[in-house]
Amino acid sequence: MKLRQILRWSVALAPTVTLATAPALGADAPTSTVAATAATAPSTTAADTSVDNLTVPSDLEVRTWALTPQLFNPTNIDIDARGRIWVAEAVNYRETVHPLRALKHPAGDRVMILEDTDGDGTCDSSKIFVQDKDLTAPLGVAVLGNKVVVSCSPNLFVYTDTDGDDRADQREVLLTGFGGFDNDHGLHAVTGFLDGRWYFNVGNQGPHEVRDASGWTLRGGSSYGGPPNLGNRKSDDGRIWTGGAAFRIDPDGRKLTPLAHNFRNSYEVALDSFGDIWQSDNDDDGNRSTRVSWVMEGGNYGYSSADGTRAWQADRRPGQETPIAHWRQEDPGVMPSGDITGAGGPTGVLVYDGGALGEQYLGSMLDADALANCVYVHRPVADGAGFRLERDVLIKVKPDAAGERAKWFRPSDIAIGPDGALYISDWYDPMVGGHDMRDKKGLGRILRVSKKGSAAVPAKVDLETLDGQLAALDNPAVNVRYAAAIKLPAAGEEAVKRLLQRVSSNNPRQRARAIWVLARCGNAGAEAVERIAAEGDASDRLVAFRALRSIDRNVLRHAARLAADESPAVRREVAVALRDVRFEQCRDLLVKLADGYDGRDRFYLEAFGIACDGKESAVYPILLERLGSGDPLKWSEAMANLAWRLHPVASLDALAARGGSAELSPDARRRAVNALAFIRHERAATAMAALGASGPQDVRPRAQWWLKNRGGNEWKAFAPARAVAEAPAEQPDRRRDTDRATMLNPSAPIRDRRNAAGRLARRADGALIIIGHAADGTFPRELTDAVSDALHRNGDFAVRALASQYFPRTGAGGAPLPPIKELAAMKGDAARGRAVFFGATAACIRCHSFDGQGQDIGPDLTAVRSKFPRAELLDNILNPSAAIAFGYEPWIVKTRGGQVYSGFIRGDGETVELKESSGEQRSIPAGEITLRKKQPFSVMPDNVSVGLSAQDLADVAEFLLASPIRSAPSAAATQPVK
């Protein structure tokens, strides 16, 4: 969840922000000219700069460094070698949803440069670097050498200041075609790394069709479920990359390389000195499964099905806990989820590789979470071939903070300056982003976190001399290190000599940074790195192998030596390097890697699976002969897990035997049945049917569930699954069909047509028929008054909500509600509110879950108290359709047979999986659908429909805001194989 809300929000128009703005850059030319002017200086008060609601560790202090009007709505920041903070602003945020919002910059959004010119620890200079009409809510800014890279879907812009006046003079569109325009799930920030390349990610609001400068094309799918879902498309590497994804690219726009995929929406990536990649990723609204993960190259991170056509809810097995189902932790080919942090809206991330905070933070990944009002500290601990994460909190809102400003901390990004201090951009808005923005002033600020009592002295960085560049290579600021790394190779032999001195350092991070740069220092540097790969310690061997891969230097020769390395992390790197190597070239290496598998390490198992991509059938018999047994019931744990991960057709009979064996444990049977479900072959469906009919008692329901599930997708062509998945044809309802025909017949008497329409409106299926005709413009408007009242009184609450879009209505009886401000001031009773929430009148529990009770149709509201103050929560309840949470947009679906359904699309391929408001999941062949229309309103009825009084609303708000939150579910970094 990236700067977004879990509930809906009403539109709040705000006064226009007036600033001195520059002429907007044109969109019709690859390079254009722009001028920039200084922004007005702020007029602050004690209240403006207060940080009394925040708490940090006792040895640290936090203070306000800059605030509006020096900047507005900061989405992302970067810090240059002079210690200046560059800010991407989002004043025009979600204009496509709310085009009439008055808070906007007509000339486009901006990138600002903020500076503390007098060294007193606060910003005193603010100026516009660029304002561009093609910038709508950019989500990333990076200063990379003399280039300023701005991420704003569909484009990755590169701005250049050619004359050094801090004003953008040229603009280049480096890449274009990313989905997610004006959407938090679009293109995110770029970071430069020591290998001289750029790294970035994009959220899952596809589709993405991006061609790099060499002509290589990414065809990424959307995993949102709603059309146009272009999942199951192959990119030019022959692979399917779906959902959110991480990438690497050369600065000239060539060699666009997907690194990992199937995230939901990670806000940016962070790299440590060793080249490990870290990110946070949000869950769906209310599922309390936000995560922080280490990113392994080639990894599938499990948000949607592997082809991008089905959301996790469509494949959730009975009894699966939400975090396990959400990130598909029981599916072969999916990476461990990492650390589940619960409810949240993670934003910017940073690896602390040095600075002024203290040694205890060294190597930690810092994760800003706008929704949880905090910055987490995640300390990686080596765990086999991967990592587990130990979590703490760096800065957070005080639990007892009260008043209007209590939640004044929505951290959108986090960066470290050359001075070693931590800087946090705080975009204050009650909405936490999403489909709306409540704040009327574009408020934002930058906070500075440092050692208590430390002086705010800007660090001096010299990038022009060799000594200065070597010093800058160890600078705490990420892109300052990058600037040094791209300059050092030009020093030739002297650079190699000086870097080799660093390789003998006792500091492993300093050694790692030197190795990365050495690899790019010509043949002498590369030869030195080859020696390190053979003779260095484990961390140096790992970095050296990565660096040699980055320059394509004798990779297979080094892999042959390292495939049996004592370090599982080194062997893991060898494995992922073999993904695109032909089987004939890497057969012996795969055998060595398999020998190194301990039967428990899930990270290592996934790395081996990536190495065997496309080679599963060739390697399986070798593994079976080497590690297996003639009797699959006597397999070692290592062989059983390898078969689960690879699951070639040749393993089918063995997996079926294990799934049906009473000799094995229930977990072992479950793993075998799950693996069988991922074999796309008719014999697998036949074996599953046999298990469903006569397998052990615990296996039968699981096998039957798989048959029904797979009958709508991978096994659709196979009779055993198709027979289970296909529901019996709906019996014709002659009365309903006659009423429909009469209603639509312009020649029939108007009285008969009105009566027929009224009868349809009073039944749920008939009401949906009427709404379907209204959606496609074929409902006779002269019959509107004959159906409106019945639709709004229909017993199906989803019908009542859907009807409000197309048919006028009058309010329910009773006194009008007071304004929200007065409503929020009313005293509520939590016990009465609980009764209303769980009662039959409001029926909240029919859609929402709270503290483990209820349904998962709408967002889980257990943690809503951490998201909204009272007034904002009441506004969401009263205006549910103003801004609908991501993933909860309702659809109307109409079939060739005239059936009309409504619900959330959870799968969109050859079969459309529709989750109806009743909670039932319906599978509809895509070829049978004649109309799919997304509704711009919520399926949550408003107060008029549910009939709550003002006191009822005050009581419900008290219940939701005062009730305690149980601790969030947790998931270990290394998940068991299930």
Side-chain angles (χ1 to χ4, degrees):
M1 176 165 37
K2 226 38 88 197
L3 299 178
R4 60 166 178 75
Q5 93 287 13
I6 289 221
L7 295 174
R8 278 66 57 186
W9 200 262
S10 62
V11 178
L13 296 180
T16 302
V17 176
T18 303
L19 293 172
T21 57
L25 278 167
D28 55 348
T31 58
S32 306
T33 301
V34 61
T37 61
T40 56
S43 175
T44 62
T45 65
D48 291 327
T49 59
S50 172
V51 291
D52 291 343
N53 64 325
L54 301 176
T55 179
V56 294
S58 58
D59 62 332
L60 301 180
E61 64 181 7
V62 57
R63 62 186 298 179
T64 299
W65 187 83
L67 73 166
T68 302
Q70 291 172 317
L71 71 162
F72 294 85
N73 290 357
T75 62
N76 195 251
I77 59 174
D78 193 23
I79 305 179
D80 67 15
R82 293 163 55 183
R84 303 182 302 174
I85 298 182
W86 297 63
V87 183
E89 294 183 334
V91 169
N92 296 340
Y93 178 72
R94 302 308 277 146
E95 268 201 327
T96 52
V97 176
H98 300 297
L100 299 180
R101 180 185 287 121
L103 180 61
K104 63 175 61 179
H105 280 158
D109 273 321
R110 313 181 306 179
V111 173
M112 305 296 295
I113 306 175
L114 307 185
E115 187 175 8
D116 171 13
T117 62
D118 57 10
D120 67 350
T122 58
C123 171
D124 52 55
S125 171
S126 173
K127 54 189 173 184
I128 302 170
F129 172 72
V130 68
Q131 183 167 25
D132 188 340
K133 65 185 180 66
D134 290 330
L135 291 181
T136 298
L139 297 179
V141 60
V143 183
L144 301 171
N146 66 338
K147 306 290 185 182
V148 178
V149 184
V150 179
S151 305
C152 187
S153 284
N155 302 308
L156 187 63
F157 291 118
V158 177
Y159 295 96
T160 306
D161 171 13
T162 60
D163 55 11
D165 63 354
D166 291 334
R167 303 172 184 178
D169 300 300
Q170 294 181 349
R171 186 192 75 182
E172 174 191 2
V173 179
L174 189 73
L175 297 172
T176 190
F178 294 101
F181 172 73
D182 194 16
N183 190 299
D184 301 335
H185 292 234
L187 186 61
H188 295 301
V190 170
T191 186
F193 187 58
L194 304 169
D195 61 357
R197 296 179 287 191
W198 298 352
Y199 292 72
F200 66 96
N201 55 9
V202 66
N204 69 330
Q205 185 58 47
H208 314 298
E209 185 139 354
V210 182
R211 181 177 177 138
D212 74 5
S214 63
W216 189 93
T217 301
L218 166 78
R219 299 175 187 87
S222 167
S223 58
Y224 257 19
N229 187 343
L230 300 181
N232 214 16
R233 298 191 306 161
K234 292 183 178 179
S235 297
D236 281 0
D237 58 3
R239 291 189 169 85
I240 295 172
W241 301 100
T242 192
F247 299 91
R248 178 176 63 220
I249 193 169
D250 286 354
D252 62 1
R254 298 176 185 273
K255 295 185 180 180
L256 178 64
T257 305
L259 298 176
H261 73 131
N262 215 358
F263 318 133
R264 185 166 189 255
N265 189 36
S266 53
Y267 201 70
E268 63 183 3
V269 293
L271 284 81
D272 61 24
S273 295
F274 305 103
D276 285 307
I277 303 174
W278 304 89
Q279 67 171 31
S280 55
D281 194 11
N282 66 278
D283 68 343
D284 293 297
D285 295 315
N287 288 295
R288 291 183 289 165
S289 294
T290 292
R291 61 180 174 176
V292 173
S293 303
W294 168 73
V295 179
M296 185 167 76
E297 185 176 346
N300 170 4
Y301 281 77
Y303 176 63
S304 72
S305 58
D307 63 1
T309 62
R310 297 187 311 283
W312 66 272
Q313 296 95 331
D315 292 334
R316 184 176 190 172
R317 270 90 90 182
Q320 276 189 325
E321 295 182 0
T322 297
I324 301 299
H326 198 291
W327 304 120
R328 298 174 183 267
Q329 292 299 283
E330 294 183 345
D331 290 11
V334 174
M335 291 294 298
S337 59
D339 180 32
I340 302 292
T341 59
T347 49
V349 293
L350 170 75
V351 174
Y352 182 83
D353 263 354
L357 297 188
E359 290 293 315
Q360 66 268 36
Y361 298 104
L362 194 62
S364 296
M365 186 268 214
L366 306 181
D367 166 28
D369 194 315
L371 192 60
N373 312 115
C374 73
V375 174
Y376 290 114
V377 178
H378 298 275
R379 295 180 175 88
V381 178
D383 184 13
F387 298 90
R388 59 182 172 86
L389 293 163
E390 298 177 347
R391 187 194 329 155
D392 202 347
V393 175
L394 179 72
I395 180 172
K396 63 181 178 179
V397 170
K398 294 178 180 177
D400 58 350
E404 183 181 355
R405 296 172 57 85
K407 295 292 184 182
W408 185 290
F409 188 49
R410 303 290 197 190
S412 59
D413 198 16
I414 182 168
I416 192 165
D419 60 350
L422 202 66
Y423 293 85
I424 303 168
S425 58
D426 183 3
W427 175 6
Y428 180 69
D429 192 285
M431 287 309 302
V432 200
H435 283 305
D436 202 1
M437 178 171 61
R438 178 72 174 186
D439 174 44
K440 299 179 180 180
K441 299 178 181 179
L443 295 174
R445 61 180 175 176
I446 306 290
L447 302 176
R448 185 179 188 271
V449 179
S450 61
K451 276 285 190 182
K452 188 172 288 184
S454 63
V457 179
K460 293 183 179 180
V461 177
D462 171 20
L463 291 172
E464 301 306 317
T465 67
L466 179 58
D467 286 342
Q469 292 161 7
L470 289 166
L473 191 61
D474 294 327
N475 193 279
V478 175
N479 285 331
V480 172
R481 294 202 296 264
Y482 166 81
I486 61 175
K487 284 177 173 287
L488 276 166
E493 292 182 5
E494 185 61 24
V496 172
K497 176 182 175 182
R498 300 285 295 276
L499 289 167
L500 282 173
Q501 293 173 358
R502 290 178 170 238
V503 171
S504 61
S505 165
N506 291 326
N507 183 333
R509 290 173 175 80
Q510 189 176 66
R511 296 200 305 269
R513 293 191 283 264
I515 292 168
W516 280 109
V517 180
L518 269 172
R520 299 173 51 247
C521 289
N523 191 59
E527 287 180 350
V529 175
E530 288 182 317
R531 291 193 296 272
I532 296 168
E535 303 166 3
D537 69 11
S539 68
D540 290 348
R541 295 195 303 273
L542 174 68
V543 174
F545 183 69
R546 284 174 167 173
L548 292 171
R549 279 192 69 202
S550 74
I551 59 172
D552 298 321
R553 177 89 175 193
N554 300 325
V555 173
L556 279 180
R557 178 163 62 84
H558 297 294
R561 182 178 61 254
L562 297 174
D565 195 275
E566 64 182 21
S567 164
V570 172
R571 299 197 304 274
R572 172 205 73 216
E573 283 304 305
V574 172
V576 299
L578 299 180
R579 184 184 61 173
D580 295 316
V581 178
R582 296 195 311 273
F583 177 71
E584 295 78 14
Q585 293 179 280
C586 66
R587 178 190 183 281
D588 293 343
L589 298 183
L590 295 176
V591 171
K592 286 184 182 180
L593 291 169
D595 286 344
Y597 175 47
D598 63 4
R600 298 184 302 274
D601 188 340
R602 178 71 179 270
F603 289 106
Y604 193 95
L605 181 61
E606 286 304 322
F608 185 78
I610 290 169
C612 295
D613 185 20
K615 318 177 189 80
E616 295 88 349
S617 296
V619 75
Y620 177 76
I622 301 172
L623 299 179
L624 191 61
E625 180 180 356
R626 192 175 185 89
L627 304 174
S629 165
D631 183 357
L633 305 187
K634 296 181 180 179
W635 279 355
S636 66
E637 194 71 9
M639 185 63 217
N641 289 341
L642 287 166
W644 172 85
R645 173 57 179 86
L646 302 179
H647 53 272
V649 173
S651 68
L652 194 157
D653 293 334
L655 291 170
R658 288 178 65 84
S661 173
E663 298 179 26
L664 299 181
S665 68
D667 280 350
R669 289 196 294 268
R670 182 171 64 251
R671 292 199 300 269
V673 172
N674 286 347
L676 192 64
F678 284 83
I679 300 176
R680 190 174 292 193
H681 195 280
E682 186 161 12
R683 285 204 302 117
T686 301
M688 191 71 78
L691 290 170
S694 58
Q697 193 66 33
D698 62 311
V699 168
R700 291 177 200 171
R702 177 174 293 267
Q704 291 163 1
W705 183 91
W706 272 120
L707 280 172
K708 184 175 181 180
N709 173 276
R710 285 296 189 238
N713 41 78
E714 276 85 350
W715 291 352
K716 184 179 180 180
F718 307 148
R722 190 170 63 245
V724 175
E726 289 178 349
E730 188 170 343
Q731 296 298 315
D733 186 323
R734 293 182 180 177
R735 181 59 183 271
R736 181 194 64 197
D737 295 343
T738 299
D739 282 342
R740 178 182 187 176
T742 302
M743 177 184 72
L744 298 175
N745 183 3
S747 301
I750 189 64
R751 179 178 177 179
D752 292 348
R753 297 176 68 201
R754 290 171 61 85
N755 288 339
R759 286 192 295 271
L760 286 173
R762 287 190 289 273
R763 52 190 292 179
D765 57 350
L768 286 174
I769 287 173
I770 290 172
I771 292 170
H773 282 292
D776 65 10
T778 59
F779 179 76
R781 302 312 300 176
E782 64 271 19
L783 303 180
T784 296
D785 61 345
V787 301
S788 291
D789 187 62
L791 289 173
H792 294 300
R793 294 179 184 274
N794 192 286
D796 189 318
F797 68 94
V799 166
R800 300 196 302 271
L802 290 166
S804 63
Q805 173 70 9
Y806 302 104
F807 298 93
R809 64 170 178 205
T810 56
L817 291 174
I820 288 178
K821 184 177 181 180
E822 296 178 23
L823 192 60
M826 291 178 61
K827 182 175 178 59
D829 183 286
R832 287 198 304 262
R834 181 182 180 85
V836 172
F837 187 89
F838 287 94
T841 300
C844 305
I845 206 66
R846 290 178 61 183
C847 273
H848 300 285
S849 59
F850 186 91
D851 202 27
Q853 301 179 61
Q855 301 295 321
D856 65 349
I857 299 169
D860 185 318
L861 301 183
T862 309
V864 73
R865 69 193 295 261
S866 69
K867 302 169 180 64
F868 298 113
R870 188 178 302 269
E872 285 76 11
L873 175 62
L874 286 164
D875 201 5
N876 276 272
I877 295 172
L878 290 172
N879 299 281
S881 296
I884 305 170
F886 288 123
Y888 293 96
E889 303 91 342
W891 292 79
I892 288 177
V893 174
K894 189 175 180 180
T895 67
R896 296 184 189 279
Q899 301 303 313
V900 180
Y901 307 102
S902 70
F904 310 123
I905 291 180
R906 296 305 190 205
D908 189 9
E910 294 182 1
T911 301
V912 172
E913 301 290 342
L914 189 74
K915 186 167 187 177
E916 298 180 292
S917 57
S918 64
E920 179 182 353
Q921 189 157 296
R922 185 179 296 274
S923 299
I924 308 170
E928 292 297 311
I929 295 175
T930 59
L931 172 71
R932 285 196 286 189
K933 187 169 185 179
K934 184 163 69 172
Q935 305 302 293
F937 50 89
S938 172
V939 296
M940 174 181 168
D942 63 16
N943 182 68
V944 173
S945 295
V946 298
L948 297 184
S949 67
Q951 188 60 54
D952 289 336
L953 289 165
D955 293 343
V956 169
E958 184 68 22
F959 164 64
L960 293 174
L961 294 173
S963 297
I965 303 173
R966 295 194 302 186
S967 59
S970 62
T974 303
Q975 298 288 347
V977 180
K978 294 183 179 179

